[in-house]
Amino acid sequence: MTSRDVQASLSFLHWQDLYNLEKPFQIFINIPEDAEDQRDTNLVFKRVCLTIRDVRGLSTELSLDTNGFIYRQHTMRTTDCTDREDVEQSYLSEVEELLKREVEGADRVFFFDWRLRKNTPEIEGTVMDMNDLTTWLRPAVHVHVDQSPAAALKRIQLQLKEEAPQLLRGRVRIINVWRPLIDSVEDWPIAVSDGRTIKRCDLVEADHVRRHYTGSTMYLMPDPQQQFYYMSKQSKNDVLIFKNFDSKRDVDAPSNKHRLLIDEIVAPHASFLHPDATADATPRESIEVRALVFTYLKS
């Protein structure tokens, strides 16, 4: 298959002086009518047109530690990803096998989230039930890293409280496994950045406020040196594995606080409208799994 680099636009965070006074935020619950502040976000984004390179044309091998992402061939055995029981009893086991094979030093894999996404029309005023994992979410269009370092630590202490002190002595990574559920993505592929080209100062932490949990993500501001990649006509057997957090400090490239000092390769990412997408293209459907990957401290 020939490579197809494209010119397309991505949505980046647009810095506001307001962020010097209040932390960026998004609220994913209904705001009470009597609340003085009715804003559900203070985030401002802008679209930037750039070249997104097709990984099918790369002559060099990608690496999680060097680039922050890799693609691998993997045939999915699970047949119904809209069935929560099927995903959690079957598909997650497949993903664990894949991660332990492809991620160096993966001693333990702990899944804390998975999501389905589909390119469907957005209904204004709709509030998604984020607790229902079988709800189809729309593609995420703003360039981001799913978990900030503070959120990664909070997640471990919340869900693995008793084991956290020991686990945090070793290496901790948050790794996502993303794949289409259709034969070929034509409309909204996912773009992922080469972690070596991301400056720490261009990642800004933002709170995500939900009814039962407040986490934080990081949004990326644009810089001309940033490089983005995608896979043309990505199929259900073409699996993208990318890194959102890494506690190891001596890997080759960067990641950042509400402007958080961290030194690791991560892979900011977002979906984008392919310029060659046709009106009758099959809507993208995908499943994404989020995992904590632990490497035990060797005595």
Side-chain angles (χ1 to χ4, degrees):
M1 186 178 294
T2 58
S3 64
R4 302 172 62 208
D5 296 354
V6 295
Q7 289 287 318
S9 67
L10 293 177
S11 177
F12 292 87
L13 183 70
H14 186 38
W15 179 262
Q16 307 292 300
D17 289 341
L18 174 66
Y19 301 154
N20 290 315
L21 302 174
E22 67 177 24
K23 188 175 182 179
F25 69 87
Q26 282 181 294
I27 299 175
F28 294 93
I29 56 176
N30 289 319
I31 299 173
E33 293 182 1
D34 58 353
E36 182 177 343
D37 190 344
Q38 287 291 314
R39 296 176 302 164
D40 59 10
T41 185
N42 62 359
L43 296 174
V44 178
F45 297 96
K46 67 176 180 180
R47 302 201 70 85
V48 177
C49 188
L50 42 74
T51 298
I52 305 176
R53 298 182 60 193
D54 187 355
V55 295
R56 296 193 189 278
L58 291 182
S59 58
T60 56
E61 184 78 11
L62 296 167
S63 141
L64 280 172
D65 277 351
T66 302
N67 309 98
F69 70 98
I70 56 176
Y71 286 87
R72 290 294 184 265
Q73 280 283 303
H74 178 263
T75 301
M76 182 168 61
R77 301 187 297 270
T78 305
T79 57
D80 185 6
C81 284
T82 63
D83 184 310
R84 180 168 183 165
E85 183 176 339
D86 206 12
V87 171
E88 295 181 350
Q89 293 188 4
S90 177
Y91 183 58
L92 295 187
S93 295
E94 295 184 50
V95 175
E96 181 173 4
E97 292 173 9
L98 178 65
L99 289 173
K100 287 188 172 180
R101 183 172 69 245
E102 299 295 344
V103 179
E104 182 180 0
D107 293 319
R108 180 177 175 185
V109 176
F110 178 85
F111 299 108
F112 64 89
D113 194 20
W114 59 272
R115 295 289 166 179
L116 299 172
R117 294 188 184 273
K118 184 175 183 178
N119 177 29
T120 54
E122 187 172 9
I123 301 174
E124 188 174 351
T126 300
V127 177
M128 293 291 185
D129 181 2
M130 301 299 288
N131 294 315
D132 182 1
L133 298 179
T134 61
T135 296
W136 289 99
L137 305 178
R138 288 180 52 77
V141 299
H142 306 305
V143 185
H144 68 286
V145 175
D146 290 12
Q147 306 279 325
S148 72
L153 179 62
K154 182 178 180 180
R155 176 71 62 180
I156 296 166
Q157 293 173 330
L158 176 69
Q159 296 193 257
L160 296 164
K161 184 177 180 180
E162 299 300 321
E163 302 168 83
Q166 183 65 27
L167 292 172
L168 290 170
R169 294 181 64 198
R171 185 179 184 182
V172 180
R173 284 165 283 186
I174 292 182
I175 295 178
N176 289 23
V177 178
W178 189 100
R179 77 188 312 148
L181 295 174
I182 58 174
D183 291 331
S184 178
V185 176
E186 307 285 350
D187 54 354
W188 284 90
I190 186 170
V192 61
S193 64
D194 185 335
R196 296 173 299 178
T197 69
I198 303 302
K199 296 177 182 177
R200 290 177 300 181
C201 60
D202 289 333
L203 283 164
V204 179
E205 187 179 58
D207 282 344
H208 277 193
V209 181
R210 298 187 170 92
R211 187 169 306 281
H212 302 295
Y213 184 79
T214 297
S216 52
T217 188
M218 293 190 293
Y219 288 103
L220 184 66
M221 297 186 293
D223 184 277
Q225 79 166 14
Q226 294 164 359
Q227 295 178 12
F228 284 84
Y229 295 85
Y230 84 115
M231 176 177 279
S232 61
K233 298 184 181 297
Q234 185 177 355
S235 77
K236 63 178 65 174
N237 292 332
D238 296 316
V239 180
L240 170 62
I241 303 172
F242 61 93
K243 192 162 51 169
N244 283 288
F245 173 78
D246 190 345
S247 64
K248 187 177 180 182
R249 302 304 176 118
D250 58 352
V251 292
D252 296 341
S255 133
N256 173 3
K257 169 183 166 195
H258 175 56
R259 281 174 174 228
L260 250 84
L261 296 178
I262 53 179
D263 294 296
E264 82 240 13
I265 296 177
V266 295
H269 54 281
S271 297
F272 69 97
L273 178 62
H274 196 289
D276 297 333
T278 60
D280 61 351
T282 301
R284 188 198 94 187
E285 295 180 6
S286 59
I287 184 169
E288 181 175 13
V289 174
R290 298 177 176 127
L292 283 158
V293 178
F294 298 101
T295 300
Y296 299 145
L297 181 66
K298 302 300 186 286
S299 56

